[in-house]
Amino acid sequence: MTDRLYYHDSFLYNFDAEVRSVVETPRPGLILDRTAFYPTSGGQVHDTGWLVSPDARLRVAEVADTEDGHVVHYLDAPLKDVQPGTRVRGEIDAARRRDHMQQHSAQHVLSSAFVRLFGMPTVSFHMADDYCSIDLDTPSLTKDQVESVERRANEIMIEDRPVDVRYVTRDEAEKLGLRKLPPAERDQLRLIDIRDWDLTACGGTHVSSTGQIGGILLRKTEKVRRGYRVEFVAGQRAVSTARRDFSTLTETAALFSAGIYDVPQQARKSLDEIKSLRKQREQSQDELAAAQAATLLAETPENHGRKLVVRTFSDRDLTFLKLLAQKLTRQSPAIALLATESPQPALVFAQSAGQPYDMGTLLKETMAKLGGRGGGSRDLAQGGVPRSEGIAAALAAVAQKLTV
Ligand SMILES: [Zn+2]
């Protein structure tokens, strides 16, 4: 089994080791006799860094546990000149490790706060590149509860409580009242002890006092299958997230020429305006369609007891065409063959109820000629075409067919 140096010292970023074996698949990797590299486990993501031999400097891209208790350091390049027995120096990406310690210790502080304040146990912990999350076993979670936990967690951080690592037997652990006891497997348990705040079994790397967490910010909460997921960021992540939030808000506020705290009010006002303008536009379109239908009907002579209106517009949308077609055919017997060239070339065919043709079929035939797609019922059909060329001629051809 690999001797895990990080169990005893989270701040050990450089170490010497000996290569025990070389892994070729699924990609090149090394197993050492001892390592300070943390493998992905318990919600915490693996370290990255370098393994330096006398002849090579190898980038450690991923670190993973094996089933038999070893730690594999996966490398991002093929191995040369390294074999069992080679001495290597390990160099861990310290900034990444520190960030992971801040996130993981923040998780312990938060999980305990959720239990102590509201009796909500944490069922899982997830660490991603930009944020972390815990899942709480609870049927409900309010904004006030989230804010209380955030305040309490930051107080624990400001109090700079010691974070100690302890080893106990399983029997001892059962008497200590841990927040979380892992399933019975090992005789000895590693405990992370945040003084008078949280005691839990964990194999992760942690800060040595809560002040090093540097800040805890709770973010999105969402309902998940077993309860609620709470996203959070700690340390520099909290600072960079707050910075990004501020930039986004500032940019948005500038669009409204307002202060950042007035953005919701301004946005609501704008949405209300859009809603009312949309309503006004609908009304104007309706009035315009009615007036236009009246004009078109007035200037079209009646033939065989009905009026045939054929018209191509240069700039009307499909909604207006349909509206106009309905107005044209609603009252007296009429057939409307309408088209628009832009913004989106489209056709609408309509007839008054009781007229003998089939608009759906006529439109489909026309679409086939123009290379478009569409359809509809016997009395109303619509479709779009890729180009405006040929639309007028196609309408004329249909009109011709109807007047014969
Ligand atoms: Zn943990």
Side-chain angles (χ1 to χ4, degrees):
M1 296 228 297
T2 311
D3 181 12
R4 297 164 191 249
L5 304 171
Y6 59 82
Y7 273 166
H8 312 287
D9 186 359
S10 294
F11 294 83
L12 180 69
Y13 302 135
N14 299 292
F15 64 99
D16 293 307
E18 190 180 298
V19 174
R20 275 293 151 85
S21 58
V22 175
V23 177
E24 302 287 353
T25 51
R27 51 211 178 96
L30 292 175
I31 291 174
L32 311 175
D33 61 340
R34 58 211 292 268
T35 187
F37 278 92
Y38 186 81
T40 297
S41 51
Q44 185 178 331
V45 186
H46 66 84
D47 288 319
T48 59
W50 301 89
L51 287 177
V52 186
S53 75
D55 307 304
R57 188 173 165 78
L58 309 159
R59 173 87 186 143
V60 176
E62 196 189 330
V63 187
D65 273 318
T66 66
E67 276 173 16
D68 55 355
H70 292 296
V71 175
V72 195
H73 307 75
Y74 287 110
L75 308 168
D76 66 358
L79 280 167
K80 283 178 292 189
D81 309 322
V82 177
Q83 48 249 312
T86 302
R87 302 287 306 171
V88 291
R89 179 158 183 77
E91 296 173 5
I92 287 166
D93 180 336
R96 179 178 162 99
R97 160 64 74 79
R98 258 194 302 269
D99 169 64
H100 291 176
M101 295 196 300
Q102 288 176 321
Q103 311 311 315
H104 198 156
S105 296
Q107 182 256 310
H108 284 213
V109 171
L110 279 173
S111 289
S112 191
F114 273 112
V115 170
R116 283 168 179 266
L117 269 60
F118 303 111
M120 299 175 183
T122 295
V123 291
S124 69
F125 165 46
H126 176 71
M127 188 187 283
D129 283 341
D130 44 2
Y131 66 88
C132 302
S133 65
I134 48 175
D135 284 2
L136 300 170
D137 184 2
T138 174
S140 66
L141 180 66
T142 67
K143 187 167 164 280
D144 284 349
Q145 287 173 323
V146 168
E147 286 178 12
S148 302
V149 163
E150 183 179 63
R151 201 175 311 118
R152 192 75 190 101
N154 279 286
E155 280 165 10
I156 296 300
M157 186 207 73
I158 291 161
E159 289 165 11
D160 200 19
R161 300 190 184 207
V163 179
D164 296 313
V165 178
R166 288 161 56 185
Y167 288 88
V168 296
T169 63
R170 195 162 178 94
D171 288 345
E172 285 168 330
E174 274 166 13
K175 287 177 205 130
L176 284 169
L178 304 191
R179 175 167 55 77
K180 196 172 159 194
L181 195 62
E185 245 179 47
R186 299 178 212 108
D187 307 333
Q188 211 190 30
L189 289 175
R190 181 177 188 259
L191 304 185
I192 302 299
D193 183 354
I194 300 175
R195 187 168 299 169
D196 300 331
W197 182 252
D198 187 52
L199 185 62
T200 196
C202 174
T205 57
H206 287 270
V207 297
S208 56
S209 68
T210 55
Q212 292 168 355
I213 294 171
I216 303 171
L217 190 59
L218 297 194
R219 307 276 296 166
K220 197 171 93 180
T221 61
E222 67 176 318
K223 182 96 189 71
V224 290
R225 210 154 50 91
R226 269 195 70 184
Y228 273 83
R229 178 161 299 161
V230 180
E231 291 180 9
F232 69 93
V233 281
Q236 283 290 1
R237 287 194 196 202
V239 176
S240 56
T241 303
R243 168 61 47 194
R244 199 167 64 229
D245 291 353
F246 181 73
S247 303
T248 307
L249 260 181
T250 304
E251 203 181 313
T252 312
L255 295 175
F256 291 114
S257 306
I260 59 169
Y261 299 119
D262 296 328
V263 164
Q265 193 196 338
Q266 291 288 340
R268 218 170 286 127
K269 207 173 113 194
S270 293
L271 287 174
D272 286 346
E273 269 173 31
I274 289 168
K275 220 161 139 187
S276 131
L277 286 172
R278 208 170 268 159
K279 216 169 172 179
Q280 278 177 33
R281 185 174 177 272
E282 266 169 34
Q283 207 175 338
S284 310
Q285 291 273 66
D286 195 75
E287 284 168 16
L288 182 64
Q292 199 142 27
T295 309
L296 286 167
L297 287 172
E299 66 190 31
T300 306
E302 200 173 286
N303 199 352
H304 299 297
R306 61 176 161 257
K307 292 187 172 187
L308 174 60
V309 177
V310 184
R311 189 73 170 225
T312 301
F313 297 93
S314 59
D315 57 353
R316 290 289 150 84
D317 62 16
L318 183 61
T319 311
F320 182 80
L321 281 197
K322 270 159 61 184
L323 202 56
L324 181 59
Q326 279 163 8
K327 306 265 183 217
L328 285 167
T329 56
R330 188 171 296 166
Q331 280 163 357
S332 47
I335 297 170
L337 305 177
L338 307 177
T340 181
E341 293 176 331
S342 71
Q344 208 58 53
L347 275 63
V348 172
F349 292 177
Q351 69 180 3
S352 307
Q355 290 301 307
Y357 303 106
D358 185 338
M359 295 296 124
T361 307
L362 279 175
L363 187 105
K364 270 197 181 127
E365 286 168 10
T366 313
M367 284 290 140
K369 277 185 214 157
L370 295 172
R373 290 164 65 97
S377 65
R378 207 178 157 277
D379 288 343
L380 178 68
Q382 65 179 74
V385 291
R387 282 171 304 277
S388 59
E389 285 78 34
I391 286 182
L395 288 198
V398 178
Q400 179 74 26
K401 215 165 157 182
L402 300 184
T403 40
V404 173

PDB file of all heavy atoms in Angstrom, residues 43-72:
ATOM      1  N   GLY A  43     -15.317  13.062  -2.280  1.00  0.00           N
ATOM      2  CA  GLY A  43     -15.816  14.352  -2.758  1.00  0.00           C
ATOM      3  C   GLY A  43     -14.721  15.317  -3.136  1.00  0.00           C
ATOM      4  O   GLY A  43     -14.949  16.280  -3.871  1.00  0.00           O
ATOM      5  N   GLN A  44     -13.494  15.083  -2.620  1.00  0.00           N
ATOM      6  CA  GLN A  44     -12.394  16.006  -2.944  1.00  0.00           C
ATOM      7  C   GLN A  44     -11.700  15.567  -4.222  1.00  0.00           C
ATOM      8  O   GLN A  44     -11.450  14.372  -4.435  1.00  0.00           O
ATOM      9  CB  GLN A  44     -11.380  16.048  -1.788  1.00  0.00           C
ATOM     10  CG  GLN A  44     -10.281  17.087  -2.008  1.00  0.00           C
ATOM     11  CD  GLN A  44      -9.297  17.164  -0.839  1.00  0.00           C
ATOM     12  OE1 GLN A  44      -9.647  16.895   0.303  1.00  0.00           O
ATOM     13  NE2 GLN A  44      -8.062  17.535  -1.138  1.00  0.00           N
ATOM     14  N   VAL A  45     -11.362  16.544  -5.068  1.00  0.00           N
ATOM     15  CA  VAL A  45     -10.743  16.261  -6.355  1.00  0.00           C
ATOM     16  C   VAL A  45      -9.223  16.093  -6.172  1.00  0.00           C
ATOM     17  O   VAL A  45      -8.627  16.686  -5.268  1.00  0.00           O
ATOM     18  CB  VAL A  45     -11.054  17.414  -7.343  1.00  0.00           C
ATOM     19  CG1 VAL A  45     -10.542  17.080  -8.729  1.00  0.00           C
ATOM     20  CG2 VAL A  45     -12.548  17.667  -7.392  1.00  0.00           C
ATOM     21  N   HIS A  46      -8.614  15.307  -7.051  1.00  0.00           N
ATOM     22  CA  HIS A  46      -7.172  14.991  -6.973  1.00  0.00           C
ATOM     23  C   HIS A  46      -6.274  16.217  -7.140  1.00  0.00           C
ATOM     24  O   HIS A  46      -6.666  17.224  -7.718  1.00  0.00           O
ATOM     25  CB  HIS A  46      -6.823  13.962  -8.054  1.00  0.00           C
ATOM     26  CG  HIS A  46      -6.992  14.513  -9.445  1.00  0.00           C
ATOM     27  ND1 HIS A  46      -6.030  15.254 -10.092  1.00  0.00           N
ATOM     28  CD2 HIS A  46      -8.045  14.458 -10.304  1.00  0.00           C
ATOM     29  CE1 HIS A  46      -6.459  15.610 -11.280  1.00  0.00           C
ATOM     30  NE2 HIS A  46      -7.687  15.150 -11.438  1.00  0.00           N
ATOM     31  N   ASP A  47      -5.047  16.072  -6.644  1.00  0.00           N
ATOM     32  CA  ASP A  47      -4.021  17.091  -6.874  1.00  0.00           C
ATOM     33  C   ASP A  47      -3.434  16.947  -8.269  1.00  0.00           C
ATOM     34  O   ASP A  47      -3.622  15.925  -8.940  1.00  0.00           O
ATOM     35  CB  ASP A  47      -2.861  16.891  -5.877  1.00  0.00           C
ATOM     36  CG  ASP A  47      -3.259  17.286  -4.468  1.00  0.00           C
ATOM     37  OD1 ASP A  47      -3.951  18.305  -4.323  1.00  0.00           O
ATOM     38  OD2 ASP A  47      -2.863  16.576  -3.527  1.00  0.00           O
ATOM     39  N   THR A  48      -2.723  17.973  -8.703  1.00  0.00           N
ATOM     40  CA  THR A  48      -1.881  17.872  -9.906  1.00  0.00           C
ATOM     41  C   THR A  48      -0.495  18.356  -9.496  1.00  0.00           C
ATOM     42  O   THR A  48      -0.312  18.851  -8.382  1.00  0.00           O
ATOM     43  CB  THR A  48      -2.417  18.741 -11.058  1.00  0.00           C
ATOM     44  OG1 THR A  48      -2.449  20.096 -10.614  1.00  0.00           O
ATOM     45  CG2 THR A  48      -3.801  18.310 -11.500  1.00  0.00           C
ATOM     46  N   GLY A  49       0.468  18.233 -10.405  1.00  0.00           N
ATOM     47  CA  GLY A  49       1.815  18.704 -10.086  1.00  0.00           C
ATOM     48  C   GLY A  49       2.851  18.025 -10.966  1.00  0.00           C
ATOM     49  O   GLY A  49       2.568  17.747 -12.142  1.00  0.00           O
ATOM     50  N   TRP A  50       4.018  17.725 -10.373  1.00  0.00           N
ATOM     51  CA  TRP A  50       5.135  17.187 -11.149  1.00  0.00           C
ATOM     52  C   TRP A  50       5.813  16.062 -10.399  1.00  0.00           C
ATOM     53  O   TRP A  50       5.864  16.086  -9.171  1.00  0.00           O
ATOM     54  CB  TRP A  50       6.174  18.290 -11.414  1.00  0.00           C
ATOM     55  CG  TRP A  50       5.601  19.458 -12.168  1.00  0.00           C
ATOM     56  CD1 TRP A  50       5.010  20.560 -11.637  1.00  0.00           C
ATOM     57  CD2 TRP A  50       5.540  19.612 -13.586  1.00  0.00           C
ATOM     58  NE1 TRP A  50       4.584  21.400 -12.637  1.00  0.00           N
ATOM     59  CE2 TRP A  50       4.904  20.849 -13.841  1.00  0.00           C
ATOM     60  CE3 TRP A  50       5.960  18.834 -14.670  1.00  0.00           C
ATOM     61  CZ2 TRP A  50       4.683  21.327 -15.116  1.00  0.00           C
ATOM     62  CZ3 TRP A  50       5.746  19.311 -15.953  1.00  0.00           C
ATOM     63  CH2 TRP A  50       5.099  20.546 -16.168  1.00  0.00           C
ATOM     64  N   LEU A  51       6.346  15.103 -11.152  1.00  0.00           N
ATOM     65  CA  LEU A  51       7.266  14.109 -10.592  1.00  0.00           C
ATOM     66  C   LEU A  51       8.578  14.305 -11.337  1.00  0.00           C
ATOM     67  O   LEU A  51       8.614  14.258 -12.575  1.00  0.00           O
ATOM     68  CB  LEU A  51       6.733  12.686 -10.781  1.00  0.00           C
ATOM     69  CG  LEU A  51       5.553  12.291  -9.884  1.00  0.00           C
ATOM     70  CD1 LEU A  51       5.086  10.878 -10.222  1.00  0.00           C
ATOM     71  CD2 LEU A  51       5.906  12.400  -8.406  1.00  0.00           C
ATOM     72  N   VAL A  52       9.641  14.571 -10.587  1.00  0.00           N
ATOM     73  CA  VAL A  52      10.919  14.913 -11.216  1.00  0.00           C
ATOM     74  C   VAL A  52      11.925  13.795 -10.946  1.00  0.00           C
ATOM     75  O   VAL A  52      12.204  13.460  -9.793  1.00  0.00           O
ATOM     76  CB  VAL A  52      11.450  16.249 -10.650  1.00  0.00           C
ATOM     77  CG1 VAL A  52      12.696  16.689 -11.408  1.00  0.00           C
ATOM     78  CG2 VAL A  52      10.366  17.329 -10.727  1.00  0.00           C
ATOM     79  N   SER A  53      12.438  13.218 -12.030  1.00  0.00           N
ATOM     80  CA  SER A  53      13.485  12.192 -11.921  1.00  0.00           C
ATOM     81  C   SER A  53      14.781  12.846 -12.408  1.00  0.00           C
ATOM     82  O   SER A  53      14.742  13.966 -12.921  1.00  0.00           O
ATOM     83  CB  SER A  53      13.123  10.994 -12.790  1.00  0.00           C
ATOM     84  OG  SER A  53      13.345  11.306 -14.150  1.00  0.00           O
ATOM     85  N   PRO A  54      15.931  12.169 -12.238  1.00  0.00           N
ATOM     86  CA  PRO A  54      17.177  12.786 -12.709  1.00  0.00           C
ATOM     87  C   PRO A  54      17.121  13.149 -14.203  1.00  0.00           C
ATOM     88  O   PRO A  54      17.800  14.067 -14.648  1.00  0.00           O
ATOM     89  CB  PRO A  54      18.222  11.692 -12.457  1.00  0.00           C
ATOM     90  CG  PRO A  54      17.647  10.864 -11.354  1.00  0.00           C
ATOM     91  CD  PRO A  54      16.165  10.900 -11.548  1.00  0.00           C
ATOM     92  N   ASP A  55      16.296  12.417 -14.992  1.00  0.00           N
ATOM     93  CA  ASP A  55      16.289  12.649 -16.442  1.00  0.00           C
ATOM     94  C   ASP A  55      15.015  13.288 -16.970  1.00  0.00           C
ATOM     95  O   ASP A  55      14.935  13.612 -18.147  1.00  0.00           O
ATOM     96  CB  ASP A  55      16.458  11.301 -17.177  1.00  0.00           C
ATOM     97  CG  ASP A  55      17.678  10.570 -16.670  1.00  0.00           C
ATOM     98  OD1 ASP A  55      18.761  11.157 -16.729  1.00  0.00           O
ATOM     99  OD2 ASP A  55      17.510   9.434 -16.175  1.00  0.00           O
ATOM    100  N   ALA A  56      13.998  13.416 -16.147  1.00  0.00           N
ATOM    101  CA  ALA A  56      12.725  13.893 -16.709  1.00  0.00           C
ATOM    102  C   ALA A  56      11.915  14.671 -15.688  1.00  0.00           C
ATOM    103  O   ALA A  56      12.083  14.516 -14.483  1.00  0.00           O
ATOM    104  CB  ALA A  56      11.907  12.694 -17.198  1.00  0.00           C
ATOM    105  N   ARG A  57      11.061  15.526 -16.223  1.00  0.00           N
ATOM    106  CA  ARG A  57      10.110  16.263 -15.398  1.00  0.00           C
ATOM    107  C   ARG A  57       8.724  15.897 -15.927  1.00  0.00           C
ATOM    108  O   ARG A  57       8.335  16.278 -17.032  1.00  0.00           O
ATOM    109  CB  ARG A  57      10.378  17.763 -15.543  1.00  0.00           C
ATOM    110  CG  ARG A  57       9.577  18.629 -14.588  1.00  0.00           C
ATOM    111  CD  ARG A  57      10.032  20.083 -14.688  1.00  0.00           C
ATOM    112  NE  ARG A  57       9.076  20.974 -14.064  1.00  0.00           N
ATOM    113  CZ  ARG A  57       8.979  21.162 -12.744  1.00  0.00           C
ATOM    114  NH1 ARG A  57       9.808  20.559 -11.920  1.00  0.00           N
ATOM    115  NH2 ARG A  57       8.058  21.978 -12.255  1.00  0.00           N
ATOM    116  N   LEU A  58       7.993  15.093 -15.146  1.00  0.00           N
ATOM    117  CA  LEU A  58       6.749  14.516 -15.638  1.00  0.00           C
ATOM    118  C   LEU A  58       5.552  15.211 -15.006  1.00  0.00           C
ATOM    119  O   LEU A  58       5.469  15.347 -13.792  1.00  0.00           O
ATOM    120  CB  LEU A  58       6.699  13.023 -15.299  1.00  0.00           C
ATOM    121  CG  LEU A  58       7.937  12.220 -15.716  1.00  0.00           C
ATOM    122  CD1 LEU A  58       8.037  10.929 -14.926  1.00  0.00           C
ATOM    123  CD2 LEU A  58       7.880  11.942 -17.209  1.00  0.00           C
ATOM    124  N   ARG A  59       4.632  15.617 -15.843  1.00  0.00           N
ATOM    125  CA  ARG A  59       3.429  16.311 -15.379  1.00  0.00           C
ATOM    126  C   ARG A  59       2.419  15.295 -14.841  1.00  0.00           C
ATOM    127  O   ARG A  59       2.029  14.357 -15.563  1.00  0.00           O
ATOM    128  CB  ARG A  59       2.823  17.087 -16.556  1.00  0.00           C
ATOM    129  CG  ARG A  59       1.498  17.720 -16.275  1.00  0.00           C
ATOM    130  CD  ARG A  59       1.634  19.095 -15.657  1.00  0.00           C
ATOM    131  NE  ARG A  59       0.330  19.623 -15.260  1.00  0.00           N
ATOM    132  CZ  ARG A  59       0.118  20.348 -14.174  1.00  0.00           C
ATOM    133  NH1 ARG A  59       1.127  20.658 -13.369  1.00  0.00           N
ATOM    134  NH2 ARG A  59      -1.082  20.782 -13.888  1.00  0.00           N
ATOM    135  N   VAL A  60       1.974  15.463 -13.604  1.00  0.00           N
ATOM    136  CA  VAL A  60       0.945  14.591 -13.035  1.00  0.00           C
ATOM    137  C   VAL A  60      -0.411  15.233 -13.331  1.00  0.00           C
ATOM    138  O   VAL A  60      -0.726  16.309 -12.816  1.00  0.00           O
ATOM    139  CB  VAL A  60       1.129  14.430 -11.506  1.00  0.00           C
ATOM    140  CG1 VAL A  60       0.000  13.596 -10.918  1.00  0.00           C
ATOM    141  CG2 VAL A  60       2.479  13.799 -11.206  1.00  0.00           C
ATOM    142  N   ALA A  61      -1.180  14.570 -14.213  1.00  0.00           N
ATOM    143  CA  ALA A  61      -2.439  15.162 -14.659  1.00  0.00           C
ATOM    144  C   ALA A  61      -3.620  14.691 -13.823  1.00  0.00           C
ATOM    145  O   ALA A  61      -4.620  15.386 -13.692  1.00  0.00           O
ATOM    146  CB  ALA A  61      -2.674  14.815 -16.124  1.00  0.00           C
ATOM    147  N   GLU A  62      -3.500  13.484 -13.241  1.00  0.00           N
ATOM    148  CA  GLU A  62      -4.607  12.933 -12.466  1.00  0.00           C
ATOM    149  C   GLU A  62      -4.045  11.948 -11.449  1.00  0.00           C
ATOM    150  O   GLU A  62      -3.012  11.317 -11.695  1.00  0.00           O
ATOM    151  CB  GLU A  62      -5.578  12.206 -13.412  1.00  0.00           C
ATOM    152  CG  GLU A  62      -6.925  11.935 -12.780  1.00  0.00           C
ATOM    153  CD  GLU A  62      -7.799  11.028 -13.636  1.00  0.00           C
ATOM    154  OE1 GLU A  62      -7.661  11.054 -14.872  1.00  0.00           O
ATOM    155  OE2 GLU A  62      -8.615  10.304 -13.047  1.00  0.00           O
ATOM    156  N   VAL A  63      -4.706  11.846 -10.313  1.00  0.00           N
ATOM    157  CA  VAL A  63      -4.247  10.923  -9.272  1.00  0.00           C
ATOM    158  C   VAL A  63      -5.459  10.111  -8.810  1.00  0.00           C
ATOM    159  O   VAL A  63      -6.519  10.685  -8.547  1.00  0.00           O
ATOM    160  CB  VAL A  63      -3.638  11.694  -8.079  1.00  0.00           C
ATOM    161  CG1 VAL A  63      -3.015  10.721  -7.086  1.00  0.00           C
ATOM    162  CG2 VAL A  63      -2.599  12.709  -8.544  1.00  0.00           C
ATOM    163  N   ALA A  64      -5.288   8.771  -8.757  1.00  0.00           N
ATOM    164  CA  ALA A  64      -6.435   7.924  -8.417  1.00  0.00           C
ATOM    165  C   ALA A  64      -6.026   6.797  -7.483  1.00  0.00           C
ATOM    166  O   ALA A  64      -4.879   6.363  -7.471  1.00  0.00           O
ATOM    167  CB  ALA A  64      -7.042   7.355  -9.695  1.00  0.00           C
ATOM    168  N   ASP A  65      -6.990   6.347  -6.693  1.00  0.00           N
ATOM    169  CA  ASP A  65      -6.800   5.173  -5.836  1.00  0.00           C
ATOM    170  C   ASP A  65      -6.920   3.907  -6.672  1.00  0.00           C
ATOM    171  O   ASP A  65      -7.720   3.851  -7.600  1.00  0.00           O
ATOM    172  CB  ASP A  65      -7.950   5.129  -4.802  1.00  0.00           C
ATOM    173  CG  ASP A  65      -7.627   5.953  -3.571  1.00  0.00           C
ATOM    174  OD1 ASP A  65      -6.487   5.883  -3.095  1.00  0.00           O
ATOM    175  OD2 ASP A  65      -8.541   6.660  -3.096  1.00  0.00           O
ATOM    176  N   THR A  66      -6.167   2.875  -6.311  1.00  0.00           N
ATOM    177  CA  THR A  66      -6.414   1.563  -6.928  1.00  0.00           C
ATOM    178  C   THR A  66      -7.201   0.751  -5.905  1.00  0.00           C
ATOM    179  O   THR A  66      -7.273   1.114  -4.731  1.00  0.00           O
ATOM    180  CB  THR A  66      -5.101   0.814  -7.241  1.00  0.00           C
ATOM    181  OG1 THR A  66      -4.456   0.493  -6.009  1.00  0.00           O
ATOM    182  CG2 THR A  66      -4.187   1.653  -8.114  1.00  0.00           C
ATOM    183  N   GLU A  67      -7.749  -0.370  -6.372  1.00  0.00           N
ATOM    184  CA  GLU A  67      -8.576  -1.171  -5.465  1.00  0.00           C
ATOM    185  C   GLU A  67      -7.761  -1.801  -4.341  1.00  0.00           C
ATOM    186  O   GLU A  67      -8.272  -2.069  -3.261  1.00  0.00           O
ATOM    187  CB  GLU A  67      -9.310  -2.249  -6.259  1.00  0.00           C
ATOM    188  CG  GLU A  67     -10.588  -1.709  -6.874  1.00  0.00           C
ATOM    189  CD  GLU A  67     -11.266  -2.696  -7.798  1.00  0.00           C
ATOM    190  OE1 GLU A  67     -10.931  -3.895  -7.743  1.00  0.00           O
ATOM    191  OE2 GLU A  67     -12.124  -2.251  -8.583  1.00  0.00           O
ATOM    192  N   ASP A  68      -6.446  -2.022  -4.601  1.00  0.00           N
ATOM    193  CA  ASP A  68      -5.626  -2.668  -3.571  1.00  0.00           C
ATOM    194  C   ASP A  68      -4.837  -1.664  -2.730  1.00  0.00           C
ATOM    195  O   ASP A  68      -3.804  -2.008  -2.152  1.00  0.00           O
ATOM    196  CB  ASP A  68      -4.696  -3.710  -4.211  1.00  0.00           C
ATOM    197  CG  ASP A  68      -3.848  -3.104  -5.314  1.00  0.00           C
ATOM    198  OD1 ASP A  68      -4.045  -1.912  -5.642  1.00  0.00           O
ATOM    199  OD2 ASP A  68      -2.969  -3.805  -5.847  1.00  0.00           O
ATOM    200  N   GLY A  69      -5.311  -0.410  -2.683  1.00  0.00           N
ATOM    201  CA  GLY A  69      -4.740   0.537  -1.725  1.00  0.00           C
ATOM    202  C   GLY A  69      -3.544   1.336  -2.205  1.00  0.00           C
ATOM    203  O   GLY A  69      -2.898   2.016  -1.411  1.00  0.00           O
ATOM    204  N   HIS A  70      -3.233   1.260  -3.504  1.00  0.00           N
ATOM    205  CA  HIS A  70      -2.152   2.081  -4.021  1.00  0.00           C
ATOM    206  C   HIS A  70      -2.699   3.389  -4.572  1.00  0.00           C
ATOM    207  O   HIS A  70      -3.896   3.531  -4.775  1.00  0.00           O
ATOM    208  CB  HIS A  70      -1.396   1.344  -5.140  1.00  0.00           C
ATOM    209  CG  HIS A  70      -0.639   0.149  -4.631  1.00  0.00           C
ATOM    210  ND1 HIS A  70       0.406   0.251  -3.751  1.00  0.00           N
ATOM    211  CD2 HIS A  70      -0.792  -1.174  -4.892  1.00  0.00           C
ATOM    212  CE1 HIS A  70       0.864  -0.946  -3.474  1.00  0.00           C
ATOM    213  NE2 HIS A  70       0.158  -1.842  -4.141  1.00  0.00           N
ATOM    214  N   VAL A  71      -1.774   4.324  -4.836  1.00  0.00           N
ATOM    215  CA  VAL A  71      -2.149   5.588  -5.469  1.00  0.00           C
ATOM    216  C   VAL A  71      -1.421   5.650  -6.803  1.00  0.00           C
ATOM    217  O   VAL A  71      -0.202   5.496  -6.849  1.00  0.00           O
ATOM    218  CB  VAL A  71      -1.723   6.784  -4.582  1.00  0.00           C
ATOM    219  CG1 VAL A  71      -1.993   8.097  -5.295  1.00  0.00           C
ATOM    220  CG2 VAL A  71      -2.452   6.736  -3.238  1.00  0.00           C
ATOM    221  N   VAL A  72      -2.184   5.836  -7.907  1.00  0.00           N
ATOM    222  CA  VAL A  72      -1.553   5.945  -9.229  1.00  0.00           C
ATOM    223  C   VAL A  72      -1.473   7.407  -9.628  1.00  0.00           C
ATOM    224  O   VAL A  72      -2.455   8.137  -9.531  1.00  0.00           O
ATOM    225  CB  VAL A  72      -2.349   5.215 -10.336  1.00  0.00           C
ATOM    226  CG1 VAL A  72      -1.471   5.042 -11.577  1.00  0.00           C
ATOM    227  CG2 VAL A  72      -2.860   3.889  -9.858  1.00  0.00           C
TER     228      VAL A  72
END
